[in-house]
């Protein structure tokens, strides 16, 4: 099996399913900020899977990140998850999305993927789990 875990190189799968988790609380960073450091600590062996609403993080958009209004307060310092995914890709992390999650974002979603994001078939992520030493949910 080509993706089999070897003792020389840890393989960690990081999964993010909840979009904008903690964004209001931190405002200056999202959960993806830690991924390049985990990739480095693993010896370059992390893959990141974006699932469900978090797949939207991997789509290009021409619109700036809009401010969020909660009650009488406007939050305009929320992190830009697309910039975070780009940093993750630049760090050498493989970013995966499953085709059904991508299709749920509209018929043009696949055309708007950030360069380098890989699309895998439905249930392809679960099929890969045995090849990882650790699976983490962010």
């Amino acid at each position: 099996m080509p993706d089999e875990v070897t003792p020389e190189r840890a393989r960690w799968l990081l999964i993010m399913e909840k979009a904008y988790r903690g964004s209001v609380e931190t405002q200056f960073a999202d959960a993806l900020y830690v991924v390049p450091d985990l990739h480095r600590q693993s010896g370059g062996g992390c893959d990141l899977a974006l699932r469900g609403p978090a797949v939207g993080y991997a789509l290009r958009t021409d619109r700036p990140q809009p401010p969020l209004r909660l009650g009488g307060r406007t939050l305009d310092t929320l992190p830009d998850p697309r910039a975070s995914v780009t940093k993750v890709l630049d760090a050498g992390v493989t970013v995966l999305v499953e085709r059904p999650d991508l299709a749920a974002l509209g018929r043009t979603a696949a055309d708007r993927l950030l360069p380098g994001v890989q699309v895998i078939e439905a249930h392809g992520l679960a099929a890969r789990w045995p090849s990882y030493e650790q699976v983490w949910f962010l």
Side-chain angles (χ1 to χ4, degrees), residues 90-104:
D90 289 346
V93 176
T94 299
V95 178
L96 307 166
V97 298
E98 284 187 325
R99 193 171 305 284
D101 292 331
L102 185 59

Side-chain angles (χ1 to χ4, degrees), residues 57-103:
Y57 285 3
L59 299 183
R60 288 187 313 267
T61 181
D62 295 333
R63 291 183 265 162
Q65 183 79 6
L68 176 65
R69 185 145 179 86
L70 294 173
R73 185 171 184 183
T74 300
L75 301 174
D76 58 2
T77 57
L78 296 176
D80 178 3
R82 287 146 196 92
S84 297
V85 170
T86 299
K87 287 178 187 172
V88 166
L89 287 163
D90 289 346
V93 176
T94 299
V95 178
L96 307 166
V97 298
E98 284 187 325
R99 193 171 305 284
D101 292 331
L102 185 59

Side-chain angles (χ1 to χ4, degrees), residues 46-62:
C46 281
D47 291 348
L48 171 66
L50 300 174
R51 299 187 67 205
V55 170
Y57 285 3
L59 299 183
R60 288 187 313 267
T61 181
D62 295 333

Side-chain angles (χ1 to χ4, degrees), residues 111-126:
D111 298 331
R112 296 182 289 130
L113 271 177
L114 293 170
V117 175
Q118 297 178 23
V119 179
I120 58 176
E121 294 305 318
H123 311 295
L125 191 58

